[in-house]
Amino acid sequence: MNFRNKRLSVSEAKEIDIVHFLADLGYEPSKIRNNDYWYFSPLRDEKTPSFKVNRKLNRWYDHGLGKGGNLVDFAILYHGCTVSEFLQNLSGNLSLQKPPLQQSITRSEPENQIKILGDFILSSTALLRYLQQRRIPVDIADRYCREVRYELNGKVYYGIGFKNDLGGFEIRNPYFKASSSPKGITTIDNSAGEVIVFEGFTDFLSFKATHQQEPEDRFDFVVLNSVSFFETARPFLEKHDTIRLYLDRDTTGQNCSRYALSLSSKYKDESSLYQNHKDFNDWIVNFGKPQRKHQKQKLK
């Protein structure tokens, strides 16, 4: 179904078959039961398909997010854009189009598929808006990040690039997480006595944003870019008197923190600061907001 040949109204866009739209993005149902098509969620990482499309009603519902709606509702979440931007780009590919056949927004692409074409000062409106959504000031991001153009499966995309010590980039945009080769840790060495450890660079940027009054050289920093690099980071970490861990609150992050605490009393787990959130950045984004349980919405 080629729905990309004309400018559509909102009402017309809502009538587009969601199953066909997902297929155009590279998603196929994991199972079909009568009118219900079940997918691994295109909006998040999961191991059990919980994203349902009722084809008769042409409505979707993501049980993990507790959100659902029509195609336009899905598109603005998926692309991280406004309704107007989506309609403007429906006749062609969004410049931030998620690469096809991806079922996880947190699983990094195989490194040999990513080719960095260039890096520039952060300037794209969509990326600046994404930083704003993550409550990361642009001036902080400018100090540590670049806007990168990269090629994947023959198509060119762009994202926020955070360089590691080996020259590779961690890449983020509103819906995609990738890494270019070589992958490794990022260290910031200020010759300080304390070092602070993060799993991802958005947490590091959030910390810098919330500690702007601190002297620049008060701490050293390590961004692991993956907890699998913890052992790689240990020689640098253990040169310090104190090692403060701000790892994710998921099973992997907490297991790594427990392991570190077993190694030396130098290690301090600081993640209780954001114990009701998945990571430091999630805590910052939701700071001051009331804690509410997701209420499931029924397809109508």
Side-chain angles (χ1 to χ4, degrees), residues 177-218:
K177 175 179 178 179
S179 303
S180 70
S181 181
K183 189 171 173 66
I185 66 172
T186 303
T187 58
I188 298 176
D189 190 352
N190 295 313
S191 300
E194 293 187 37
V195 60
I196 297 179
V197 188
F198 299 97
E199 194 167 327
F201 74 84
T202 56
D203 298 322
F204 163 68
L205 295 177
S206 294
F207 183 90
K208 295 295 290 185
T210 56
H211 292 74
Q212 295 186 59
Q213 303 305 315
E214 297 283 357
E216 190 67 28
D217 60 354
R218 179 177 176 182

Side-chain angles (χ1 to χ4, degrees), residues 189-252:
D189 190 352
N190 295 313
S191 300
E194 293 187 37
V195 60
I196 297 179
V197 188
F198 299 97
E199 194 167 327
F201 74 84
T202 56
D203 298 322
F204 163 68
L205 295 177
S206 294
F207 183 90
K208 295 295 290 185
T210 56
H211 292 74
Q212 295 186 59
Q213 303 305 315
E214 297 283 357
E216 190 67 28
D217 60 354
R218 179 177 176 182
F219 303 110
D220 288 348
F221 297 92
V222 170
V223 181
L224 296 175
N225 297 316
S226 170
V227 292
S228 63
F229 288 112
F230 176 74
E231 290 295 335
T232 302
R234 279 185 63 187
F236 178 80
L237 295 177
E238 293 175 5
K239 292 189 301 182
H240 296 80
D241 299 326
T242 304
I243 308 163
R244 302 194 181 278
L245 304 170
Y246 288 80
L247 304 184
D248 292 1
R249 293 288 298 181
D250 60 11
T251 301
T252 303

